[in-house]
Amino acid sequence: MRSRGAVEVGRRVFIRTPARHAFGKRGLHRLEANIQPGNRASIRLVRRGGFRREGFSRRYLKIFGRWRDHERWALTADRRPT
């Protein structure tokens, strides 16, 4: 089991810092993450980072020769992490 410190570092490195750059310097209004439904760690990370689940894409991406379903998650500038 990972420590809470590792989770916080992951959230800062993979969500907060890139979101600040994207919404600040780049002027973007939206970030998206497409995650395979079985990838619980990534879903937990984006959920804790403020992303909202927006949908489900069947056969979204071909990985190792097989089409895989993905969940669509998004974070918008008005809901960005602090």
Side-chain angles (χ1 to χ4, degrees), residues 33-82:
N34 290 285
I35 304 167
Q36 291 183 49
N39 189 339
R40 292 185 181 136
S42 291
I43 291 170
R44 196 169 35 250
L45 180 67
V46 295
R47 181 180 286 139
R48 288 180 179 165
F51 281 66
R52 289 182 288 186
R53 187 178 185 270
E54 291 193 333
F56 186 81
S57 299
R58 296 196 187 283
R59 297 173 47 93
Y60 175 76
L61 189 62
K62 198 172 197 178
I63 301 172
F64 297 118
R66 290 183 52 210
W67 288 102
R68 307 293 176 134
D69 298 339
H70 283 71
E71 294 183 6
R72 266 191 334 276
W73 292 78
L75 178 66
T76 54
D78 59 327
R79 287 185 47 103
R80 69 178 174 247
T82 57

